[in-house]
PDB file of all heavy atoms in Angstrom:
ATOM      1  N   ARG A 540     139.168 136.847  75.307  1.00 85.00           N
ATOM      2  CA  ARG A 540     140.486 137.490  75.301  1.00 85.00           C
ATOM      3  C   ARG A 540     140.365 138.989  75.085  1.00 85.00           C
ATOM      4  O   ARG A 540     141.008 139.784  75.765  1.00 85.00           O
ATOM      5  CB  ARG A 540     141.341 136.841  74.222  1.00 85.00           C
ATOM      6  CG  ARG A 540     142.790 137.350  74.147  1.00 85.00           C
ATOM      7  CD  ARG A 540     143.501 136.764  72.963  1.00 85.00           C
ATOM      8  NE  ARG A 540     144.898 137.170  72.896  1.00 85.00           N
ATOM      9  CZ  ARG A 540     145.886 136.493  73.450  1.00 85.00           C
ATOM     10  NH1 ARG A 540     145.640 135.340  74.061  1.00 85.00           N
ATOM     11  NH2 ARG A 540     147.143 136.915  73.357  1.00 85.00           N
ATOM     12  N   GLN A 541     139.543 139.383  74.112  1.00 86.00           N
ATOM     13  CA  GLN A 541     139.377 140.788  73.830  1.00 86.00           C
ATOM     14  C   GLN A 541     138.768 141.523  74.997  1.00 86.00           C
ATOM     15  O   GLN A 541     139.161 142.672  75.320  1.00 86.00           O
ATOM     16  CB  GLN A 541     138.457 140.968  72.590  1.00 86.00           C
ATOM     17  CG  GLN A 541     138.260 142.410  72.167  1.00 86.00           C
ATOM     18  CD  GLN A 541     139.542 143.116  71.800  1.00 86.00           C
ATOM     19  OE1 GLN A 541     140.491 142.479  71.255  1.00 86.00           O
ATOM     20  NE2 GLN A 541     139.624 144.421  72.077  1.00 86.00           N
ATOM     21  N   ARG A 542     137.800 140.873  75.686  1.00 84.00           N
ATOM     22  CA  ARG A 542     137.197 141.535  76.881  1.00 84.00           C
ATOM     23  C   ARG A 542     138.224 141.702  77.967  1.00 84.00           C
ATOM     24  O   ARG A 542     138.263 142.738  78.660  1.00 84.00           O
ATOM     25  CB  ARG A 542     136.010 140.731  77.355  1.00 84.00           C
ATOM     26  CG  ARG A 542     135.359 141.267  78.617  1.00 84.00           C
ATOM     27  CD  ARG A 542     133.967 140.811  78.813  1.00 84.00           C
ATOM     28  NE  ARG A 542     133.398 141.253  80.063  1.00 84.00           N
ATOM     29  CZ  ARG A 542     133.015 142.519  80.312  1.00 84.00           C
ATOM     30  NH1 ARG A 542     133.116 143.438  79.373  1.00 84.00           N
ATOM     31  NH2 ARG A 542     132.497 142.833  81.493  1.00 84.00           N
ATOM     32  N   VAL A 543     139.084 140.708  78.146  1.00 82.00           N
ATOM     33  CA  VAL A 543     140.134 140.796  79.174  1.00 82.00           C
ATOM     34  C   VAL A 543     140.993 142.008  78.890  1.00 82.00           C
ATOM     35  O   VAL A 543     141.329 142.827  79.787  1.00 82.00           O
ATOM     36  CB  VAL A 543     140.996 139.507  79.158  1.00 82.00           C
ATOM     37  CG1 VAL A 543     142.309 139.721  79.935  1.00 82.00           C
ATOM     38  CG2 VAL A 543     140.246 138.366  79.783  1.00 82.00           C
ATOM     39  N   LEU A 544     141.425 142.196  77.653  1.00 84.00           N
ATOM     40  CA  LEU A 544     142.313 143.278  77.265  1.00 84.00           C
ATOM     41  C   LEU A 544     141.614 144.633  77.431  1.00 84.00           C
ATOM     42  O   LEU A 544     142.247 145.611  77.880  1.00 84.00           O
ATOM     43  CB  LEU A 544     142.800 143.077  75.848  1.00 84.00           C
ATOM     44  CG  LEU A 544     143.709 141.882  75.604  1.00 84.00           C
ATOM     45  CD1 LEU A 544     143.977 141.677  74.154  1.00 84.00           C
ATOM     46  CD2 LEU A 544     145.028 142.052  76.388  1.00 84.00           C
ATOM     47  N   GLU A 545     140.347 144.703  77.117  1.00 83.00           N
ATOM     48  CA  GLU A 545     139.607 145.957  77.268  1.00 83.00           C
ATOM     49  C   GLU A 545     139.496 146.354  78.741  1.00 83.00           C
ATOM     50  O   GLU A 545     139.702 147.514  79.106  1.00 83.00           O
ATOM     51  CB  GLU A 545     138.211 145.832  76.674  1.00 83.00           C
ATOM     52  CG  GLU A 545     138.218 145.752  75.148  1.00 83.00           C
ATOM     53  CD  GLU A 545     136.842 145.428  74.573  1.00 83.00           C
ATOM     54  OE1 GLU A 545     135.915 145.196  75.388  1.00 83.00           O
ATOM     55  OE2 GLU A 545     136.691 145.375  73.333  1.00 83.00           O
ATOM     56  N   LEU A 546     139.166 145.400  79.596  1.00 79.00           N
ATOM     57  CA  LEU A 546     139.052 145.691  81.045  1.00 79.00           C
ATOM     58  C   LEU A 546     140.410 145.982  81.636  1.00 79.00           C
ATOM     59  O   LEU A 546     140.548 146.802  82.562  1.00 79.00           O
ATOM     60  CB  LEU A 546     138.372 144.521  81.761  1.00 79.00           C
ATOM     61  CG  LEU A 546     136.875 144.362  81.456  1.00 79.00           C
ATOM     62  CD1 LEU A 546     136.344 143.098  82.101  1.00 79.00           C
ATOM     63  CD2 LEU A 546     136.108 145.557  81.967  1.00 79.00           C
ATOM     64  N   ALA A 547     141.440 145.288  81.155  1.00 77.00           N
ATOM     65  CA  ALA A 547     142.782 145.548  81.688  1.00 77.00           C
ATOM     66  C   ALA A 547     143.230 146.979  81.367  1.00 77.00           C
ATOM     67  O   ALA A 547     143.909 147.606  82.190  1.00 77.00           O
ATOM     68  CB  ALA A 547     143.769 144.534  81.071  1.00 77.00           C
ATOM     69  N   ALA A 548     142.831 147.499  80.222  1.00 80.00           N
ATOM     70  CA  ALA A 548     143.225 148.850  79.812  1.00 80.00           C
ATOM     71  C   ALA A 548     142.699 149.875  80.813  1.00 80.00           C
ATOM     72  O   ALA A 548     143.332 150.915  81.077  1.00 80.00           O
ATOM     73  CB  ALA A 548     142.767 149.140  78.415  1.00 80.00           C
ATOM     74  N   VAL A 549     141.511 149.611  81.372  1.00 76.00           N
ATOM     75  CA  VAL A 549     140.919 150.549  82.351  1.00 76.00           C
ATOM     76  C   VAL A 549     141.752 150.621  83.627  1.00 76.00           C
ATOM     77  O   VAL A 549     141.811 151.650  84.299  1.00 76.00           O
ATOM     78  CB  VAL A 549     139.484 150.098  82.675  1.00 76.00           C
ATOM     79  CG1 VAL A 549     138.863 151.006  83.711  1.00 76.00           C
ATOM     80  CG2 VAL A 549     138.639 150.065  81.412  1.00 76.00           C
ATOM     81  N   ARG A 550     142.485 149.575  83.932  1.00 73.00           N
ATOM     82  CA  ARG A 550     143.238 149.494  85.162  1.00 73.00           C
ATOM     83  C   ARG A 550     144.631 150.134  85.036  1.00 73.00           C
ATOM     84  O   ARG A 550     145.400 150.087  85.993  1.00 73.00           O
ATOM     85  CB  ARG A 550     143.370 148.036  85.611  1.00 73.00           C
ATOM     86  CG  ARG A 550     142.019 147.469  86.019  1.00 73.00           C
ATOM     87  CD  ARG A 550     142.115 145.985  86.353  1.00 73.00           C
ATOM     88  NE  ARG A 550     140.784 145.554  86.808  1.00 73.00           N
ATOM     89  CZ  ARG A 550     140.526 145.255  88.107  1.00 73.00           C
ATOM     90  NH1 ARG A 550     141.443 145.380  89.011  1.00 73.00           N
ATOM     91  NH2 ARG A 550     139.318 144.848  88.434  1.00 73.00           N
ATOM     92  N   GLY A 551     144.926 150.689  83.903  1.00 78.00           N
ATOM     93  CA  GLY A 551     146.184 151.396  83.747  1.00 78.00           C
ATOM     94  C   GLY A 551     147.195 150.625  82.888  1.00 78.00           C
ATOM     95  O   GLY A 551     147.093 149.421  82.700  1.00 78.00           O
ATOM     96  N   PRO A 552     148.187 151.348  82.371  1.00 83.00           N
ATOM     97  CA  PRO A 552     149.137 150.727  81.433  1.00 83.00           C
ATOM     98  C   PRO A 552     149.985 149.609  82.015  1.00 83.00           C
ATOM     99  O   PRO A 552     150.296 148.636  81.356  1.00 83.00           O
ATOM    100  CB  PRO A 552     149.987 151.906  80.987  1.00 83.00           C
ATOM    101  CG  PRO A 552     149.837 152.964  82.034  1.00 83.00           C
ATOM    102  CD  PRO A 552     148.453 152.795  82.552  1.00 83.00           C
ATOM    103  N   ARG A 553     150.348 149.756  83.304  1.00 80.00           N
ATOM    104  CA  ARG A 553     151.195 148.711  83.895  1.00 80.00           C
ATOM    105  C   ARG A 553     150.486 147.385  83.988  1.00 80.00           C
ATOM    106  O   ARG A 553     150.984 146.335  83.605  1.00 80.00           O
ATOM    107  CB  ARG A 553     151.719 149.144  85.269  1.00 80.00           C
ATOM    108  CG  ARG A 553     152.634 150.332  85.222  1.00 80.00           C
ATOM    109  CD  ARG A 553     153.249 150.606  86.579  1.00 80.00           C
ATOM    110  NE  ARG A 553     153.998 149.473  87.054  1.00 80.00           N
ATOM    111  CZ  ARG A 553     154.404 149.315  88.304  1.00 80.00           C
ATOM    112  NH1 ARG A 553     154.092 150.201  89.200  1.00 80.00           N
ATOM    113  NH2 ARG A 553     155.092 148.233  88.675  1.00 80.00           N
ATOM    114  N   GLN A 554     149.270 147.404  84.518  1.00 77.00           N
ATOM    115  CA  GLN A 554     148.526 146.159  84.659  1.00 77.00           C
ATOM    116  C   GLN A 554     148.075 145.625  83.295  1.00 77.00           C
ATOM    117  O   GLN A 554     148.040 144.436  83.058  1.00 77.00           O
ATOM    118  CB  GLN A 554     147.349 146.332  85.590  1.00 77.00           C
ATOM    119  CG  GLN A 554     147.806 146.479  87.036  1.00 77.00           C
ATOM    120  CD  GLN A 554     146.684 146.281  88.057  1.00 77.00           C
ATOM    121  OE1 GLN A 554     145.529 146.021  87.700  1.00 77.00           O
ATOM    122  NE2 GLN A 554     147.018 146.397  89.327  1.00 77.00           N
ATOM    123  N   ALA A 555     147.771 146.539  82.365  1.00 83.00           N
ATOM    124  CA  ALA A 555     147.424 146.102  81.025  1.00 83.00           C
ATOM    125  C   ALA A 555     148.597 145.372  80.387  1.00 83.00           C
ATOM    126  O   ALA A 555     148.442 144.325  79.737  1.00 83.00           O
ATOM    127  CB  ALA A 555     146.996 147.303  80.177  1.00 83.00           C
ATOM    128  N   SER A 556     149.804 145.912  80.567  1.00 87.00           N
ATOM    129  CA  SER A 556     150.977 145.268  80.032  1.00 87.00           C
ATOM    130  C   SER A 556     151.216 143.904  80.681  1.00 87.00           C
ATOM    131  O   SER A 556     151.582 142.943  80.020  1.00 87.00           O
ATOM    132  CB  SER A 556     152.202 146.181  80.258  1.00 87.00           C
ATOM    133  OG  SER A 556     153.407 145.526  79.872  1.00 87.00           O
ATOM    134  N   PHE A 557     150.996 143.857  82.001  1.00 85.00           N
ATOM    135  CA  PHE A 557     151.170 142.601  82.717  1.00 85.00           C
ATOM    136  C   PHE A 557     150.227 141.528  82.182  1.00 85.00           C
ATOM    137  O   PHE A 557     150.589 140.373  81.994  1.00 85.00           O
ATOM    138  CB  PHE A 557     150.957 142.830  84.209  1.00 85.00           C
ATOM    139  CG  PHE A 557     151.159 141.626  85.079  1.00 85.00           C
ATOM    140  CD1 PHE A 557     152.450 141.315  85.518  1.00 85.00           C
ATOM    141  CD2 PHE A 557     150.121 140.768  85.428  1.00 85.00           C
ATOM    142  CE1 PHE A 557     152.664 140.198  86.334  1.00 85.00           C
ATOM    143  CE2 PHE A 557     150.324 139.664  86.215  1.00 85.00           C
ATOM    144  CZ  PHE A 557     151.620 139.380  86.672  1.00 85.00           C
ATOM    145  N   ILE A 558     148.987 141.894  81.960  1.00 86.00           N
ATOM    146  CA  ILE A 558     147.968 140.941  81.529  1.00 86.00           C
ATOM    147  C   ILE A 558     148.229 140.525  80.062  1.00 86.00           C
ATOM    148  O   ILE A 558     148.083 139.343  79.718  1.00 86.00           O
ATOM    149  CB  ILE A 558     146.563 141.544  81.709  1.00 86.00           C
ATOM    150  CG1 ILE A 558     146.238 141.566  83.220  1.00 86.00           C
ATOM    151  CG2 ILE A 558     145.509 140.709  80.968  1.00 86.00           C
ATOM    152  CD1 ILE A 558     144.964 142.303  83.565  1.00 86.00           C
ATOM    153  N   ARG A 559     148.696 141.457  79.254  1.00 89.00           N
ATOM    154  CA  ARG A 559     149.049 141.038  77.877  1.00 89.00           C
ATOM    155  C   ARG A 559     150.195 140.017  77.905  1.00 89.00           C
ATOM    156  O   ARG A 559     150.212 139.063  77.150  1.00 89.00           O
ATOM    157  CB  ARG A 559     149.493 142.290  77.085  1.00 89.00           C
ATOM    158  CG  ARG A 559     148.329 143.150  76.597  1.00 89.00           C
ATOM    159  CD  ARG A 559     148.783 144.108  75.514  1.00 89.00           C
ATOM    160  NE  ARG A 559     149.840 145.018  75.992  1.00 89.00           N
ATOM    161  CZ  ARG A 559     149.569 146.206  76.541  1.00 89.00           C
ATOM    162  NH1 ARG A 559     148.306 146.578  76.743  1.00 89.00           N
ATOM    163  NH2 ARG A 559     150.540 146.961  76.938  1.00 89.00           N
ATOM    164  N   GLN A 560     151.131 140.258  78.865  1.00 91.00           N
ATOM    165  CA  GLN A 560     152.231 139.274  78.974  1.00 91.00           C
ATOM    166  C   GLN A 560     151.737 137.917  79.471  1.00 91.00           C
ATOM    167  O   GLN A 560     152.223 136.877  78.995  1.00 91.00           O
ATOM    168  CB  GLN A 560     153.284 139.816  79.926  1.00 91.00           C
ATOM    169  CG  GLN A 560     154.541 138.959  80.024  1.00 91.00           C
ATOM    170  CD  GLN A 560     155.615 139.622  80.914  1.00 91.00           C
ATOM    171  OE1 GLN A 560     155.452 140.711  81.395  1.00 91.00           O
ATOM    172  NE2 GLN A 560     156.670 138.871  81.141  1.00 91.00           N
ATOM    173  N   MET A 561     150.752 137.916  80.384  1.00 90.00           N
ATOM    174  CA  MET A 561     150.212 136.643  80.855  1.00 90.00           C
ATOM    175  C   MET A 561     149.549 135.893  79.716  1.00 90.00           C
ATOM    176  O   MET A 561     149.653 134.669  79.622  1.00 90.00           O
ATOM    177  CB  MET A 561     149.210 136.889  81.993  1.00 90.00           C
ATOM    178  CG  MET A 561     148.486 135.627  82.461  1.00 90.00           C
ATOM    179  SD  MET A 561     147.376 135.910  83.841  1.00 90.00           S
ATOM    180  CE  MET A 561     148.540 135.858  85.220  1.00 90.00           C
ATOM    181  N   LEU A 562     148.849 136.611  78.836  1.00 92.00           N
ATOM    182  CA  LEU A 562     148.196 135.951  77.731  1.00 92.00           C
ATOM    183  C   LEU A 562     149.229 135.442  76.700  1.00 92.00           C
ATOM    184  O   LEU A 562     148.986 134.422  76.054  1.00 92.00           O
ATOM    185  CB  LEU A 562     147.234 136.923  77.036  1.00 92.00           C
ATOM    186  CG  LEU A 562     145.997 137.338  77.877  1.00 92.00           C
ATOM    187  CD1 LEU A 562     145.232 138.466  77.180  1.00 92.00           C
ATOM    188  CD2 LEU A 562     145.065 136.166  78.109  1.00 92.00           C
ATOM    189  N   ALA A 563     150.316 136.154  76.599  1.00 92.00           N
ATOM    190  CA  ALA A 563     151.335 135.744  75.610  1.00 92.00           C
ATOM    191  C   ALA A 563     152.274 134.673  76.130  1.00 92.00           C
ATOM    192  O   ALA A 563     152.737 133.819  75.387  1.00 92.00           O
ATOM    193  CB  ALA A 563     152.175 136.994  75.193  1.00 92.00           C
ATOM    194  N   ASP A 564     152.549 134.720  77.442  1.00 94.00           N
ATOM    195  CA  ASP A 564     153.524 133.754  78.021  1.00 94.00           C
ATOM    196  C   ASP A 564     153.018 133.266  79.377  1.00 94.00           C
ATOM    197  O   ASP A 564     153.588 133.628  80.397  1.00 94.00           O
ATOM    198  CB  ASP A 564     154.877 134.460  78.178  1.00 94.00           C
ATOM    199  CG  ASP A 564     155.969 133.552  78.770  1.00 94.00           C
ATOM    200  OD1 ASP A 564     155.799 132.305  78.692  1.00 94.00           O
ATOM    201  OD2 ASP A 564     156.929 134.098  79.317  1.00 94.00           O
ATOM    202  N   PRO A 565     151.980 132.434  79.391  1.00 94.00           N
ATOM    203  CA  PRO A 565     151.466 131.944  80.692  1.00 94.00           C
ATOM    204  C   PRO A 565     152.511 131.293  81.596  1.00 94.00           C
ATOM    205  O   PRO A 565     152.549 131.613  82.793  1.00 94.00           O
ATOM    206  CB  PRO A 565     150.345 130.998  80.267  1.00 94.00           C
ATOM    207  CG  PRO A 565     149.934 131.435  78.927  1.00 94.00           C
ATOM    208  CD  PRO A 565     151.184 131.934  78.254  1.00 94.00           C
TER     209      PRO A 565
END
Side-chain angles (χ1 to χ4, degrees):
R540 183 186 184 92
Q541 182 61 33
R542 177 159 176 76
V543 166
L544 294 172
E545 289 172 357
L546 289 173
V549 178
R550 294 174 176 254
R553 293 187 60 195
Q554 289 196 358
S556 175
F557 183 86
I558 289 173
R559 284 196 299 270
Q560 186 176 353
M561 174 177 278
L562 293 171
D564 180 22

